[in-house]
């Protein structure tokens, strides 16, 4: 059983419910009324043997579209008031045969930004590896300074090792001379 659409459930109100039989009867009455209106509209256009009517009955696609238009007109006050809202998007259903899967796909803003970010990163890495960016130039200068420092340190160590070897050789010569006496 269904509530008749009253708001809320205040304690003092008596609740009225409609039985399923009443709901079925209301639906049947609405369908009958819709059929009568369609017959009146078609009857006003021409005779019952009108070729347009026969064509509509044979072509199910057109009758489906007419039914959809009829449903859209019946909703709320839309049928009473003609509204021209440029922001209102009318939903249209497409058939599978109408879909264009091979065509270019529209990307969302986030997807476009992500792709642009990746491309910019790749361009930057290419420029960086070529040594054309500010950071790459600073890194190369820093590396050149470090290489010079390491070469100087290696040269100093080599000189110190040679000096030690010469001192050791001089010490051995003195010892050998002193032993020979």
């Amino acid at each position: 059983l269904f509530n008749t659409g009253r708001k809320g459930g205040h304690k003092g109100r008596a609740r009225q419910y409609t039985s399923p039989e009443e709901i079925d009867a209301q639906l049947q009455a609405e369908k009958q009324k819709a059929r009568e209106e369609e017959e009146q509209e078609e009857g006003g256009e021409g005779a019952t043997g009108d070729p347009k009517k026969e064509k509509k009955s044979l072509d199910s696609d057109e009758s489906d579209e007419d039914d959809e238009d009829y449903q859209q007109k019946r909703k709320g006050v839309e049928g009473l008031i003609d509204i021209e809202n440029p922001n209102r998007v009318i939903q249209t259903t497409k058939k599978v045969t109408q879909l264009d899967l091979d065509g270019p796909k529209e990307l969302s803003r986030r997807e476009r930004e992500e792709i642009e970010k990746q491309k910019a990163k790749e361009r930057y890495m290419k420029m960086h590896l070529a040594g054309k960016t500010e950071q790459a130039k600073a890194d190369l200068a820093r590396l050149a300074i470090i290489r010079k420092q390491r070469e100087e340190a290696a040269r100093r160590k080599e000189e110190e090792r040679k000096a030690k070897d010469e001192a050791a050789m001089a010490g051995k010569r003195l010892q050998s001379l002193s032993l020979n006496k």
Side-chain angles (χ1 to χ4, degrees):
L1 298 178
F2 300 99
N3 195 349
T4 57
R6 291 189 178 202
K7 291 185 180 178
H10 295 292
K11 294 180 181 178
R13 286 193 186 165
R15 294 192 176 118
Q16 295 178 347
Y17 295 100
T18 56
S19 65
E21 293 84 22
E22 290 176 5
I23 293 173
D24 291 338
Q26 287 174 354
L27 290 175
Q28 290 296 331
E30 287 178 7
K31 287 181 183 178
Q32 183 65 26
K33 185 177 178 183
R35 283 189 205 125
E36 288 174 2
E37 288 178 3
E38 283 184 25
E39 288 175 2
Q40 288 176 358
E41 288 175 6
E42 291 175 1
E45 291 176 2
T48 57
D50 192 13
K52 290 182 180 178
K53 184 178 177 183
E54 292 174 5
K55 184 179 178 183
K56 284 186 178 181
S57 63
L58 293 175
D59 192 4
S60 62
D61 291 341
E62 288 183 2
S63 65
D64 289 343
E65 292 173 2
D66 291 341
D67 291 341
E68 289 174 10
D69 292 340
Y70 185 72
Q71 288 290 340
Q72 288 178 352
K73 288 179 184 176
R74 291 185 63 215
K75 288 182 184 175
V77 293
E78 289 179 4
L80 302 174
I81 302 171
D82 187 26
I83 299 172
E84 293 185 20
N85 185 354
N87 296 329
R88 183 170 177 257
V89 177
I90 299 172
Q91 294 180 348
T92 57
T93 56
K94 290 186 177 181
K95 295 180 182 177
V96 177
T97 56
Q98 293 175 341
L99 292 177
D100 186 20
L101 298 175
D102 297 331
K105 191 172 101 173
E106 296 277 332
L107 297 176
S108 69
R109 179 184 57 84
R110 286 185 182 169
E111 290 172 333
R112 280 195 311 266
E113 288 176 356
E114 187 66 29
I115 290 171
E116 289 173 6
K117 188 185 290 185
Q118 288 175 353
K119 287 181 180 178
K121 193 172 186 179
E122 289 174 7
R123 281 194 304 267
Y124 181 80
M125 289 306 293
K126 285 180 184 177
M127 295 284 283
H128 187 72
L129 291 175
K132 295 181 180 179
T133 62
E134 296 288 328
Q135 187 178 2
K137 290 176 183 175
D139 289 345
L140 291 174
R142 202 174 315 119
L143 286 173
I145 292 170
I146 291 171
R147 279 191 195 125
K148 287 180 183 176
Q149 290 174 351
R150 287 182 181 169
E151 287 175 5
E152 290 175 7
R155 208 177 309 125
R156 272 189 251 121
K157 284 183 182 178
E158 184 67 28
E159 290 173 2
E160 289 176 5
R161 189 177 55 81
K162 285 182 181 178
K164 284 183 183 177
D165 286 345
E166 288 178 9
M169 292 297 277
K172 285 183 184 179
R173 285 185 196 154
L174 285 176
Q175 283 180 354
S176 64
L177 287 175
S178 63
L179 289 176
N180 286 338
K181 288 185 183 178

